Amino acid sequence: MFPHSTPHPLRFKPLPVPKHWLIIGLVLAAAVVVAGWAVQVVPGLTLAELAVDDDFSRHHTPELTGLALVLNVLFGPVAGALIVIAVSLYLAVIRRSPQNAALFSVTVASGWLTCQLFKVVTGRIRPDPALLFDPLVPEPVSNSFPSGHTSLAVALTLAAFLLVRETRWAKPVLWAGTVMAVVVAWSRVYIGAHYPLDVVASFPATIAAVLIMAGTWNRYAPAVMATIHSRATSPRSPK
């Protein structure tokens, strides 16, 4: 499924990014921040979103609850970090493609960790579980905009797509990953951990971060890979 490694780092294939990737990425990021501030000052908006959370909370079913709780763990910080480490090790050791391993880990990290920056900048507090009929996973008081679980799902999708972008798996991976990310987004509202707009904002927030990462990767990765290869293959002077 994953493409084979290139024999030499100078054979660098750039990532697909639009011409004005930096401007687009910054505009998306700015839009997310503005939206995060706006939802907290627009009268009645948070109450309307809380009503959606409470409606989900009053219609839990065993099957959907089981799925939501599994996703809560699978896309949480610990499991997410283990997934990134496992896939990166597979690419580096089994597939012998350190470049793809670096691309995967950097892509996921850029999209996932940038979400934490948005959380700090926007400062929106999670829904109060005391106001929900059946909060499944009461979260401690913390920032919620955007959703870290959803951002991880989107980042994993984009990272996998970039790895297989020139194969027949590209579209299936992108579509399957998009469905997965939407289901994860639904699960965060279902269990009462996020407002609806929290999970919606996760998509442009993660895309903005990955877009800026991809453009930066195209600009600097070839030189970095060439330097690493040169140092690794140059003969060592005798002591």
Side-chain angles (χ1 to χ4, degrees):
M1 179 176 174
F2 294 117
H4 292 286
S5 58
T6 54
H8 193 284
L10 294 180
R11 293 179 59 183
F12 181 86
K13 295 182 179 179
L15 302 179
V17 294
K19 181 178 180 181
H20 302 292
W21 55 269
L22 182 57
I23 295 176
I24 296 173
L26 292 176
V27 169
L28 278 176
V32 170
V33 172
V34 171
W37 289 337
V39 294
Q40 299 177 75
V41 299
V42 175
L45 186 53
T46 294
L47 288 178
E49 290 189 90
L50 186 62
V52 174
D53 282 5
D54 191 55
D55 187 59
F56 273 113
S57 185
R58 293 176 181 274
H59 296 88
H60 288 161
T61 66
E63 297 79 13
L64 294 179
T65 295
L67 173 61
L69 293 178
V70 168
L71 294 176
N72 178 61
V73 174
L74 187 59
F75 289 89
V78 176
L82 291 176
I83 290 172
V84 174
I85 293 172
V87 174
S88 298
L89 286 175
Y90 167 77
L91 292 170
V93 178
I94 305 301
R95 302 292 293 186
R96 296 182 180 181
S97 178
Q99 179 172 311
N100 281 339
L103 174 61
F104 180 83
S105 58
V106 170
T107 301
V108 177
S110 64
W112 189 19
L113 298 180
T114 301
C115 167
Q116 304 305 315
L117 178 60
F118 282 116
K119 285 178 181 286
V120 173
V121 172
T122 56
R124 190 186 199 190
I125 303 301
R126 294 181 185 276
D128 185 350
L131 300 178
L132 300 177
F133 179 77
D134 181 27
L136 294 174
V137 184
E139 296 275 358
V141 176
S142 58
N143 296 328
S144 70
F145 186 99
S147 161
H149 284 64
T150 309
S151 289
L152 173 59
V154 177
L156 286 171
T157 298
L158 295 175
F161 170 74
L162 290 177
L163 290 179
V164 301
R165 62 191 184 279
E166 295 181 341
T167 73
R168 61 188 178 91
W169 292 98
K171 288 185 178 180
V173 164
L174 187 59
W175 279 108
T178 300
V179 172
M180 174 188 69
V182 170
V183 173
V184 172
W186 157 83
S187 73
R188 304 308 291 160
V189 179
Y190 181 87
I191 68 176
H194 285 281
Y195 294 104
L197 289 180
D198 294 347
V199 299
V200 171
S202 301
F203 288 84
T206 309
I207 291 171
V210 172
L211 181 60
I212 293 174
M213 181 285 304
T216 304
W217 175 277
N218 286 347
R219 178 166 297 183
Y220 297 107
V224 172
M225 294 294 178
T227 300
I228 294 174
H229 180 268
S230 176
R231 292 180 178 179
T233 58
S234 59
R236 298 182 179 180
S237 58
K239 295 183 179 180

